[in-house]
Amino acid sequence: MRQLQALGAPPEVVKAAQAQQIESECLVLEDCWEAVQLFQVLGSQWRVVGGGFTKPRFEGIHFPSIESCLNLAVAGRKKRQKLFADIVLMSDEAARVINERIAAE
């Protein structure tokens, strides 16, 4: 919501976005925090198929985008490999949940 407000979105757009937002809190362990932050950064890099006459299906975050993000943001090959695996795991699980919600609509 802060991003919409910062970009000067009209109040009715911000209110509509708030109505669609699912409120949830979760504990993120300290050693997972960097992967969660990078996962959020990659939020615009989803592979989505379908749409139009069919419901969209989220396939996951585009692997080359993950690699580019890690190469720019993270030092150390072993650390990048671990974060890559963590992000792919989160992407797969998020895609499963998103697709279940879309199918239930």
Side-chain angles (χ1 to χ4, degrees):
M1 297 318 117
R2 285 180 266 143
Q3 291 175 340
L4 287 173
Q5 292 169 331
L7 293 171
E12 62 273 9
V13 171
V14 174
K15 188 173 181 176
Q18 287 172 333
Q20 292 178 359
Q21 183 176 0
I22 298 172
E23 291 294 327
S24 65
E25 290 186 21
C26 66
L27 174 66
V28 177
L29 299 175
E30 188 176 331
D31 62 332
C32 299
W33 185 243
E34 188 172 15
V36 171
Q37 289 179 309
L38 292 167
F39 180 77
Q40 289 178 321
V41 167
L42 290 160
S44 65
Q45 301 302 311
W46 282 88
R47 286 186 325 263
V48 182
V49 296
F53 294 109
T54 63
K55 291 183 178 182
R57 176 162 176 77
F58 285 70
E59 297 291 320
I61 295 177
H62 192 77
F63 280 14
S65 298
I66 298 172
E67 181 182 20
S68 294
C69 180
L70 292 173
N71 285 336
L72 289 169
V74 180
R77 183 173 175 230
K78 288 190 185 255
K79 187 174 183 181
R80 284 194 302 268
Q81 288 174 334
K82 180 178 181 337
L83 286 168
F84 183 88
D86 291 345
I87 293 167
V88 169
L89 177 67
M90 287 189 285
S91 171
D92 289 346
E93 185 60 20
R96 184 188 64 76
V97 171
I98 292 167
N99 290 327
E100 285 177 0
R101 289 181 181 170
I102 289 171
E105 291 178 346

